[in-house]
Amino acid sequence: MLIKELPLVEYLTGLDFTLPPLGKFLVLSAVRREGVLLGAYLNEGGKQKVVGLLALGFRKGANIEYLFVQDQFRRQGVGAALVAGAAAMARHKEASVLRARALMGDSFGAAFARILEQAGFEVCDRANLIRVPLDARSKETWEEFMRRRGSRICKRLRDDGYWVVSFAEAGGDVLQRFQEDWKLHFPTHLDPNTFLNNREHRAVLDYSFIALKGQEPAAYSLVTTIDDSTLSFQHLAASFKYQGLGAFLLPIVAFAEKATAEGRFKVFSAMIYERNERMNRLVEKFLRPFATAVTEQRFYLLHL
């Protein structure tokens, strides 16, 4: 078996297999960000045939973005060889660490995790990926929640001077105030401009909301899509001043009412880090009843 760089032209025109839609997205996303594709080549009838590939990104460090091996060549060391090749290339480019993540919801994710651990990667973080269908059942469950608790909480917040507006409908004054306030009063590791200015994970502005107390931003939600079918919750945050007061609920309610009413999107997902205890408590209260799947995601690190 030979592991070598896979030219983009060969990837686009010369493979005998087709990647799933998410795989295609991750591969092209890595390439656009100065990444590299590695191919696993086997000799077949005197010709070199690609039986697996790995996308290696170099934005904000070295990251294994995607790994794929054809079904009939799995459990033959192809994945392990591609990971070893990625580590060698990362060292060549003088990276100090190599990162990867494995979604544990299927047998391939579990196999990828084993490959990483056997190669010396260590788990450095964990998260849960929650998927919620935007269907009639979710709509009924949401309406029941609003009847039991949500409407009462929202009325109290509105009576206290809170209101909510989408990023799409917010005026220039509101957006300018939001840009000023998030740097000072919101968690600094959450930069909304990462997604507001992203061509791949495109912000869906009419499904993303800002809650305000008077004219002061109190909380916001930011959702994106890559395929115009699935929404991903990227940010849900409250200003330090308004944490614990329920302001975060207003963007959630505005999102849920729009998403369940319109039918424009089929699914939404959210990734909650295990260490974020407060957000996990909120998920248990407000999202878990709607979820059809909760999948563990492991984040790995290899020191080079």
Side-chain angles (χ1 to χ4, degrees):
M1 186 190 315
L2 176 65
I3 305 296
K4 66 178 183 178
E5 188 170 342
L6 173 65
L8 181 60
V9 172
E10 185 177 355
Y11 164 73
L12 294 172
T13 63
L15 299 185
D16 293 336
F17 55 87
T18 301
L19 299 182
L22 180 60
K24 293 178 181 178
F25 171 81
L26 292 172
V27 165
L28 292 179
S29 176
V31 170
R32 289 191 191 106
R33 294 179 292 166
E34 301 180 2
V36 175
L37 299 182
L38 296 179
Y41 293 79
L42 288 180
N43 192 301
E44 188 175 86
K47 293 182 62 177
Q48 293 292 318
K49 176 181 178 179
V50 179
V51 299
L53 64 82
L54 181 148
L56 181 61
F58 287 99
R59 186 177 182 181
K60 297 182 179 179
N63 296 273
I64 296 176
E65 303 288 357
Y66 186 68
L67 173 69
F68 179 85
V69 178
Q70 283 186 275
D71 289 346
Q72 62 268 40
F73 296 102
R74 293 179 184 176
R75 299 182 179 87
Q76 299 179 37
V78 177
L82 283 165
V83 169
M89 180 163 285
R91 290 190 187 95
H92 178 71
K93 290 185 175 287
E94 299 183 345
S96 59
V97 297
L98 177 60
R99 300 179 184 274
R101 59 183 178 178
L103 193 61
M104 305 302 291
D106 56 32
S107 59
F108 185 71
F112 183 39
R114 288 194 297 272
I115 289 170
L116 292 172
E117 291 168 9
Q118 289 168 3
F121 284 76
E122 297 178 351
V123 176
C124 61
D125 214 340
R126 299 175 190 267
N128 284 324
L129 183 65
I130 299 171
R131 290 176 61 84
V132 177
L134 296 171
D135 57 12
R137 176 180 171 276
S138 292
K139 183 177 181 180
E140 292 174 3
T141 305
W142 177 257
E143 290 173 348
E144 176 62 22
F145 164 75
M146 291 300 292
R147 282 193 294 269
R148 286 189 295 104
R149 296 182 59 194
S151 296
R152 183 176 69 253
I153 298 171
C154 290
K155 182 179 185 304
R156 174 178 60 79
L157 290 168
R158 288 193 295 269
D159 290 344
D160 287 342
Y162 291 88
W163 58 290
V164 65
V165 64
S166 73
F167 277 82
E169 296 176 336
D173 291 346
V174 169
L175 294 175
Q176 181 177 347
R177 180 67 184 268
F178 174 75
Q179 287 290 349
E180 294 169 353
D181 275 32
W182 79 260
K183 300 174 185 177
L184 300 173
H185 305 303
F186 286 81
T188 55
H189 67 283
L190 298 178
D191 181 354
N193 292 310
T194 300
F195 297 104
L196 291 173
N197 302 315
N198 196 311
R199 295 182 180 180
E200 296 174 347
H201 298 270
R202 304 185 306 277
V204 186
L205 298 181
D206 52 336
Y207 281 68
S208 303
F209 293 89
I210 306 172
L212 300 102
K213 176 72 178 292
Q215 297 302 312
E216 185 178 7
Y220 77 95
S221 64
L222 188 58
V223 300
T224 65
T225 187
I226 63 173
D227 60 5
D228 297 316
S229 176
T230 300
L231 290 169
S232 297
F233 244 94
Q234 300 292 355
H235 290 178
L236 175 62
S239 166
F240 298 128
K241 180 178 178 180
Y242 295 102
Q243 287 183 359
L245 300 178
F248 76 93
L249 183 60
L250 290 175
I252 293 178
V253 169
F255 165 82
E257 290 182 347
K258 187 174 182 67
T260 56
E262 291 192 352
R264 176 178 159 195
F265 295 91
K266 304 301 183 185
V267 176
F268 89 84
S269 64
M271 186 175 69
I272 313 298
Y273 284 93
E274 190 176 79
R275 64 179 183 272
N276 192 339
E277 295 180 2
R278 182 172 177 272
M279 186 59 71
N280 277 292
R281 289 196 297 270
L282 296 177
V283 166
E284 287 296 324
K285 286 184 180 180
F286 297 108
L287 281 185
R288 182 74 71 163
F290 304 94
T292 55
V294 180
T295 307
E296 180 191 5
Q297 190 163 204
R298 297 179 187 174
F299 296 81
Y300 286 91
L301 182 69
L302 176 68
H303 292 278
L304 300 174

